[in-house]
Amino acid sequence: MTTATPAITDTVHETPVRLRGYRAADMPLLTGSWLPGELLGLPDPGRPPFADLASVPPPAADRPGDELYVLPGGAFVRFTEVDWVHRRARLETGFTTEAAAAHAPGLLTAALDRARGTLGLRRVHGWVTPGRPGTEEVLRAAGLAREAEVPHALWLDGRPVGRQIWGMCSDD
Amino acid sequence: MTETTTAVPAPRAVPAAAPTGEDTGPAGGSDPQTPTAPELLTPEEAARALTDAPVRLTRGFLGLDPVTQNTALLARHIGDREIQVLRYGEALLGYTVNPLQPRQAHVATTSADPAPLDALLGFLADYQRATSFVAEVPEGTPVLPALESCGFTPCGVLPGHLFHSGRYREVLVLHTDREG
């Protein structure tokens, strides 16, 4: 993260987002400059040029627990570590461009609706690396809350940095 | 280091005296003899050991659930996540390295006795250069005193993260540092 990172609330689009299932042609959406495993995987303009891009695997027969959706041309939504017994999953997203990142609030809302409605999940959680201005506002607006702060959870910019766990539980 | 196995270096010396009258492992507190060396289990052996241990000690062991996951699924998760499970005396110990921060390990124990866990942390610090440790345990777990004795402090609560015995339960997230 750099100080030049824009606040996502500066460019937010309020239009509703419609997710659809992943198709093979969406493969380019699965690789980008976001931090790995991030709940709100916004593009990181401060990423070192030699650093590997983050990526998530496409659906495969040997990973039946993953659910992958896309915002066509702009972002992906992945539910992983899905546990149908405990009705929970870890959510991660990735936006390919800053323009796509403007849809972050709508995409989060659509993702959480998908988790509760289509997938029948009770709990969704994910990793958040502090530093991007406006991130907390977007997460709270979607109904997520900060639940834990794990020190030294990610190697970033030459040092270990803390990461937060954000999540939500649906009462049912 | 006085003794080693072919699988892993032996953890540093473990205090011989275990707390009396407490549940010290899967067998439920029988004579806790000081082990001579840890035994690294294969994923299949680890899955069977976790399945055979009392569920109050193993539910949530590194995110695994021997009640709702059969041994084949447990073994698959253990292999996929590169979880290492060791039998140390009557305790089962587990760890997996955080792939995004190789100096951090997630650890678990089935013993309320802190000595086996302390030995594991010493091993990871000395041989894996781990400096940061994370544990996640269900609320009310009998192993919490062992974690606290090893310096773990709470860093968060995951509400409704685990379902068992008829209701959703919280999971505590704990952390400790151990500089090499």
Side-chain angles (χ1 to χ4, degrees):
Chain A
M1 296 291 177
T2 68
T3 54
T5 305
I8 57 176
T9 46
D10 293 345
T11 55
V12 159
H13 291 182
E14 298 296 343
T15 52
V17 168
R18 294 196 62 178
L19 300 176
R20 68 159 167 78
Y22 173 84
R23 300 171 186 165
D26 298 320
M27 177 77 89
L29 295 177
L30 304 186
T31 302
S33 64
W34 54 82
L35 297 177
E38 196 77 359
L39 196 160
L40 198 56
L42 302 169
D44 180 10
R47 187 183 65 86
F50 289 109
D52 289 335
L53 293 172
S55 66
V56 298
D62 61 348
R63 282 192 309 280
D66 286 358
E67 301 285 337
L68 191 58
Y69 303 94
V70 299
L71 169 64
F76 76 85
V77 169
R78 181 184 187 223
F79 297 97
T80 187
E81 301 169 22
V82 180
D83 191 317
W84 300 111
V85 174
H86 303 290
R87 294 180 59 198
R88 67 169 191 250
R90 183 171 67 80
L91 171 64
E92 59 180 314
T93 63
F95 297 84
T96 52
T97 63
E98 286 293 341
H103 295 284
L107 183 118
L108 267 186
T109 301
L112 295 173
D113 287 346
R114 178 76 59 154
R116 287 185 295 250
T118 307
L119 302 178
L121 298 173
R122 182 178 183 273
R123 170 168 167 73
V124 173
H125 61 102
W127 289 103
V128 174
T129 307
R132 180 82 173 227
T135 299
E136 287 204 6
E137 289 79 358
V138 171
L139 295 172
R140 291 190 195 284
L144 295 153
R146 187 171 59 215
E147 299 173 345
E149 298 202 26
V150 181
H152 307 162
L154 175 70
W155 187 266
L156 182 65
D157 293 341
R159 60 190 172 85
V161 299
R163 259 184 146 181
Q164 301 167 346
I165 299 175
W166 285 66
M168 65 171 299
C169 273
S170 306
D171 293 325
D172 57 3
Chain B
M1 295 299 120
T2 56
E3 297 182 49
T4 57
T5 67
T6 55
V8 294
R12 66 189 184 193
V14 178
T20 56
E22 293 190 21
D23 188 351
T24 56
S30 60
D31 184 24
Q33 296 180 348
T34 302
T36 56
E39 176 192 1
L40 182 63
L41 306 180
T42 66
E44 292 74 20
E45 291 169 340
R48 283 195 294 274
L50 288 169
T51 302
D52 293 341
V55 296
R56 71 185 187 285
L57 300 171
T58 56
R59 295 201 86 168
F61 187 97
L62 291 174
L64 304 173
D65 187 353
V67 173
T68 62
Q69 297 167 336
N70 63 19
T71 53
L73 185 56
L74 285 172
R76 178 175 153 182
H77 283 317
I78 290 169
D80 288 350
R81 293 176 51 203
E82 300 184 7
I83 292 174
Q84 306 293 322
V85 179
L86 303 98
R87 189 191 304 280
Y88 193 44
E90 301 196 356
L92 293 174
L93 302 166
Y95 72 91
T96 182
V97 175
N98 177 354
L100 301 178
Q101 212 290 73
R103 296 287 172 261
Q104 183 172 80
H106 292 243
V107 299
T109 178
T110 62
S111 174
D113 177 6
L117 180 61
D118 190 55
L120 175 66
L121 300 185
F123 162 70
L124 293 173
D126 292 345
Y127 289 89
Q128 307 284 344
R129 298 189 65 190
T131 58
S132 174
F133 303 94
V134 178
E136 294 183 5
V137 292
E139 60 174 296
T141 177
V143 307
L144 188 58
L147 293 163
E148 291 172 336
S149 294
C150 290
F152 281 86
T153 55
C155 60
V157 176
L158 310 182
H161 200 70
L162 192 67
F163 182 87
H164 72 82
S165 304
R167 68 178 177 90
Y168 288 94
R169 295 169 189 270
E170 295 176 344
V171 166
L172 309 179
V173 185
L174 303 106
H175 175 267
T176 189
D177 285 320
R178 189 168 290 202
E179 295 299 330

